[in-house]
Amino acid sequence: MTEQDHVTVNDPRGPVYNGGGHQYVFYGGPDWMIRKGVVPLRIVREDRVRLADRFVRPRGYRAAAEHLAKPGSVVLLEAEPGSGRRAAAIMLLHELGEHEDTAQEPVRFDELPPTDKDRGEAPFSPAAGDRYLLDLSGISGDESYAEAQHRLAVYRSQVQEADAHMVVVLPSGMGHAHAPDLEPHTVKLVRPRGVAVVTRYLRMDLMPFRSEDLRNTDLQHLFDRSPMRELARFAGLVRTARDSGRFGTDFAGWLDQAMHAVTNRADEVRKQMATVRTTADRALLITTAVFEEALADTVYEAWHVLMRTVGYKEDKQATELERTDFGATLHALGIERDLNGQLRFKRLAYADAVRSYFWTNFPGARGYLRDWIEQAVSLPGLTPDDRMNVVVHFCERALAASRPDHLFELVSSWAGRAAGASCDPLAVLVLELGLSHETFGRWFRRRMYDCVRSGPLSDGLARVLIAACVQSLAPTHADQAIVRLHHLALRKGEVGLEAGEALLSLASRAPGHYRLLIDRLRNRMHQESHAAEPHLRLLTELTMSGRSPEPPSWPDLCLGWEAVFSQPPTALWNPLVRSWLHVAATDRTREMALGLMVRATHGRTTALHRLYVIACDWASPAGHPSRAAVAALFWQHIDDAQYSRTEGTQRAGAGPRTMEEA
């Protein structure tokens, strides 16, 4: 898959598309993205399930699956760009869990960064059964590939040792630089038949057609030569033509419209632009393309905002009634107004081609277009769906033009305008679209990392970063989300508390996340002993009973308690110990916590005495039998620890045997 590849991800049942195009993700409801033609790519289960319904297995897939089935296996995929190699990698990993017992501890499914600098501070610690994707398809140049192969060797060693699984997508045209020891693990994939991919998509869209309807010379050329992303787009355009109700009622008509859209639209726009020479008319074309389906009056306002942004000087001598009427101008440009007053181009997918033309051929105007979008999304006539469409259209073209910085500038601007404790939804959307982009996702992850480690950061932007970590980054790069949320949680005020809550919630979802955060907090307390309190507070909260994953990770909890109890007795101990005493009183399976907490003190007398006092305070007011029994058991553990530490002294009669005697 190239940087333009477009993939959707799904369940392990039928064939699936392996294709291309831009990839975007919006967590919390992908339906709107499907309606608007934005194909999400996530490696969380619900999207893998959706991909599986559309996936057509390429030749070589079975051999790769058989190799990957072994614990500790690493499979390297070699395939041409546009062949669906990334989607194949995702499906190989997904199908490992096809018969997985959902009652067991869930395995991780993460994408790994190809270089150390992309990972930031998050360590790689795989566990048995975990699944990892390493996409090197964007690597170019021998030096970069050598660095990526070094990283691959480290990952591979750890995956094999942990009995995990990893699929690597190799870059195209770099066979001369492959390490010889990778050859036995490399599988070559051959592009699936294009007609099979399109057929699968059309059937999933419940399209009424026969196999003969797809047999003509032009279609065969498309099927044989187009990347998977174009085939997916073609099938989507057939569906759009049907659903619009504007292009007839038979499959042949929809197919014809889709064929024209993918083969002729770029030429049609070029021809129109050769005749449309004025600033005003060109501005109306791009405005309609970006704001398509918005009300005509709102498009009119956005049009004038754009002309002001680019510095267009209107003829002040002419009155409004002397100018060409808006309807005539629209008609001359091939724009129609429907019965609801919404604007659209008469031809299917023409707006896409217009947007592509302007961002490609007017590089000097891209900054103006960014400034225009920043202002125009606030027009009062826009609906939430309109605003979402505008943002998606802009992000799609800005990223295609390699301007991720334009997106982040919008994020910062819109986030800064949020009032009070609110979080600007458009800023979140832009950041999530950037994070989920196949080529620039790493750029956005790194930009977020730099942001959270920097000094000044507005509360609005911090809240947007928190939301993006939780909704977009955590499902695919949980380690990196934890690192970024930890930095945000160290900030003072409400935003720091919100980040801390998001961090603790994320860490509590899975044992691997929990272990990572405990290790990170313990290390930071050791490294920053002069400023350990913020890390200590987070660690104390994390190791309370309500934060532990199910079932509790006792070794990890014990490590966390050791770090907490190594600090001078503080008020933080009280809620921590009481939470586990309370749980043990209602659930006998949690009584193990009592002995482990005592063991975590390493027999230090001051710490044991503190635990004893907390238990006394917890048990005495209620007088409930279950509390008394749990407290007695806890005291027994404390006595045993005290006795073990002072056994030699006790035998000589030099001191009390129990904590009560002390």
Side-chain angles (χ1 to χ4, degrees):
M1 190 181 302
T2 67
E3 65 270 17
Q4 305 298 319
D5 286 349
H6 216 44
V7 179
T8 320
V9 197
N10 273 291
D11 194 87
R13 293 187 296 274
V16 184
Y17 159 59
N18 323 355
H22 301 300
Q23 302 178 140
Y24 299 106
V25 178
F26 188 73
Y27 297 91
D31 289 347
W32 72 266
M33 303 188 76
I34 297 165
R35 292 199 309 272
K36 302 302 178 186
V38 179
V39 185
L41 170 63
R42 292 181 287 181
I43 53 177
V44 290
R45 180 173 173 79
E46 58 264 33
D47 288 326
R48 302 198 307 268
V49 167
R50 188 174 186 278
L51 174 59
D53 291 335
R54 289 161 175 78
F55 183 71
V56 177
R57 291 168 176 79
R59 199 185 318 157
Y61 184 90
R62 179 177 295 180
E66 290 174 353
H67 187 103
L68 189 65
K70 306 179 187 72
S73 55
V74 175
V75 174
L76 293 83
L77 301 183
E78 190 174 36
E80 292 299 315
S83 62
R85 50 194 172 164
R86 180 183 169 97
I90 291 170
M91 290 312 303
L92 283 166
L93 292 165
H94 174 71
E95 291 183 346
L96 282 171
E98 183 173 0
H99 306 295
E100 206 171 78
D101 182 357
T102 56
Q104 295 177 352
E105 178 180 311
V107 297
R108 295 174 64 184
F109 195 127
D110 283 347
E111 181 169 0
L112 299 172
T115 63
D116 284 330
K117 65 182 179 182
D118 294 318
R119 173 160 287 278
E121 301 177 29
F124 179 51
S125 52
D130 286 352
R131 290 166 274 172
Y132 297 96
L133 168 67
L134 177 61
D135 190 350
L136 303 180
S137 61
I139 298 291
S140 60
D142 289 357
E143 186 176 341
S144 296
Y145 189 41
E147 180 187 356
Q149 286 196 86
H150 172 72
R151 185 71 253 166
L152 166 59
V154 175
Y155 287 146
R156 177 183 163 200
S157 173
Q158 292 174 277
V159 164
Q160 291 175 331
E161 186 176 340
D163 283 344
H165 306 266
M166 180 169 70
V167 177
V168 182
V169 181
L170 294 173
S172 179
M174 298 294 293
H176 65 281
H178 289 345
D181 62 325
L182 298 179
E183 190 61 34
H185 307 279
T186 302
V187 176
K188 185 173 181 59
L189 299 183
V190 178
R191 177 186 184 277
R193 293 172 58 240
V195 66
V197 173
V198 173
T199 296
R200 185 63 187 174
Y201 264 80
L202 295 176
R203 286 178 178 164
M204 290 303 299
D205 289 329
L206 304 179
M207 199 68 65
F209 73 102
R210 300 165 301 167
S211 298
E212 304 84 67
D213 295 333
L214 300 180
R215 291 175 186 160
N216 69 54
T217 304
D218 290 339
L219 282 174
Q220 193 59 49
H221 181 81
L222 182 77
F223 296 155
D224 290 345
R225 296 173 180 263
S226 295
M228 295 294 105
R229 64 181 178 275
E230 291 299 332
L231 297 182
R233 178 171 178 262
F234 172 73
L237 287 170
V238 176
R239 182 190 66 239
T240 300
R242 177 196 65 183
D243 295 347
S244 72
R246 296 191 290 142
F247 303 105
T249 58
D250 64 290
F251 179 76
W254 306 329
L255 196 68
D256 185 61
Q257 285 293 325
M259 194 66 190
H260 278 290
V262 298
T263 57
N264 300 331
R265 290 296 178 256
D267 285 339
E268 291 170 359
V269 171
R270 277 193 291 271
K271 290 176 182 177
Q272 182 178 26
M273 289 298 295
T275 63
V276 176
R277 310 297 299 180
T278 69
T279 298
D281 285 350
R282 288 184 170 185
L284 183 53
L285 276 174
I286 186 59
T287 301
T288 304
V290 173
F291 285 78
E292 191 175 37
E293 297 185 0
L295 291 172
D297 285 359
T298 305
V299 175
Y300 182 86
E301 291 182 63
W303 175 36
H304 282 270
V305 172
L306 176 56
M307 288 194 289
R308 288 194 298 271
T309 303
V310 298
Y312 176 71
K313 306 294 185 183
E314 291 192 81
D315 180 6
K316 299 299 183 182
Q317 303 301 316
T319 68
E320 282 295 327
L321 295 179
E322 289 177 294
R323 295 187 175 97
T324 303
D325 70 77
F326 189 45
T329 304
L330 293 173
H331 180 74
L333 295 174
I335 302 166
E336 63 183 14
R337 182 169 14 198
D338 68 13
L339 295 177
N340 296 319
Q342 296 170 300
L343 293 191
R344 63 195 178 196
F345 288 98
K346 295 177 181 178
R347 285 167 282 190
L348 180 68
Y350 198 79
D352 294 341
V354 170
R355 293 193 298 270
S356 178
Y357 182 90
F358 272 92
W359 258 273
T360 301
N361 294 291
F362 292 90
R366 292 170 189 161
Y368 292 113
L369 293 173
R370 174 205 58 213
D371 296 343
W372 168 54
I373 295 298
E374 181 181 351
Q375 301 173 60
V377 292
S378 299
L379 291 172
L382 293 172
T383 67
D385 269 0
D386 290 336
R387 290 189 173 89
M388 196 175 294
N389 285 336
V390 169
V391 167
V392 170
H393 293 158
F394 172 79
C395 292
E396 195 174 50
R397 298 323 314 164
L399 292 173
S402 299
R403 294 309 304 261
D405 54 315
H406 282 181
L407 269 64
F408 206 86
E409 287 164 9
L410 288 183
V411 169
S412 299
S413 174
W414 289 340
R417 72 186 182 185
S422 62
C423 179
D424 189 275
L426 291 183
V428 176
L429 173 59
V430 171
L431 187 51
E432 291 189 335
L433 292 174
L435 282 168
S436 60
H437 191 269
E438 184 180 338
T439 302
F440 291 106
R442 275 183 288 165
W443 187 96
F444 282 93
R445 293 194 296 272
R446 188 71 199 180
R447 188 70 181 82
M448 288 175 64
Y449 182 66
D450 293 339
C451 261
V452 301
R453 296 183 68 214
S454 66
L457 193 66
S458 72
D459 284 357
L461 180 54
R463 287 190 170 95
V464 168
L465 296 174
I466 293 169
C469 280
V470 172
Q471 295 172 203
S472 186
L473 195 56
T476 56
H477 299 80
D479 294 359
Q480 296 187 38
I482 285 172
V483 168
R484 286 148 184 77
L485 286 172
H486 182 201
H487 282 290
L488 289 166
L490 301 179
R491 302 179 70 85
K492 297 184 183 299
E494 287 295 321
V495 168
L497 295 175
E498 292 167 21
E501 179 57 36
L503 172 66
L504 296 171
S505 177
L506 172 58
S508 299
R509 293 180 195 170
H513 303 164
Y514 194 74
R515 187 179 312 117
L516 169 64
L517 184 55
I518 283 181
D519 288 343
R520 181 177 175 81
L521 293 171
R522 290 173 65 241
N523 291 337
R524 284 310 181 89
M525 287 171 59
H526 175 71
Q527 295 166 4
E528 303 173 15
S529 55
H530 61 287
E533 184 179 356
H535 308 295
L536 175 62
R537 287 184 177 277
L538 287 168
L539 183 59
T540 304
E541 178 67 25
L542 181 65
T543 54
M544 292 178 70
S545 61
R547 298 291 187 183
S548 173
E550 290 294 333
S553 178
W554 298 116
D556 296 327
L557 277 166
C558 194
L559 285 175
W561 291 333
E562 284 180 357
V564 173
F565 297 151
S566 69
Q567 302 300 307
T570 71
L572 296 175
W573 292 27
N574 199 308
L576 170 61
V577 177
R578 290 173 69 94
S579 73
W580 284 99
L581 290 171
H582 182 73
V583 166
T586 56
D587 184 352
R588 295 294 300 272
T589 65
R590 299 298 190 261
E591 287 183 355
M592 182 184 290
L594 307 180
L596 290 176
M597 290 191 89
V598 172
R599 191 184 307 169
T601 66
H602 292 288
R604 290 187 296 274
T605 302
T606 303
L608 291 172
H609 182 69
R610 178 68 172 165
L611 295 186
Y612 178 79
V613 171
I614 292 172
C616 287
D617 182 62
W618 174 79
S620 59
H624 195 278
S626 63
R627 285 202 172 194
V630 167
L633 180 58
F634 196 42
W635 292 330
Q636 184 61 54
H637 285 300
I638 293 172
D639 286 348
D640 291 343
Q642 176 75 1
Y643 178 69
S644 297
R645 183 177 179 85
T646 61
E647 184 178 10
T649 305
Q650 298 301 325
R651 286 176 179 171
R657 177 178 179 271
T658 68
M659 188 63 73
E660 284 107 326
E661 293 167 4

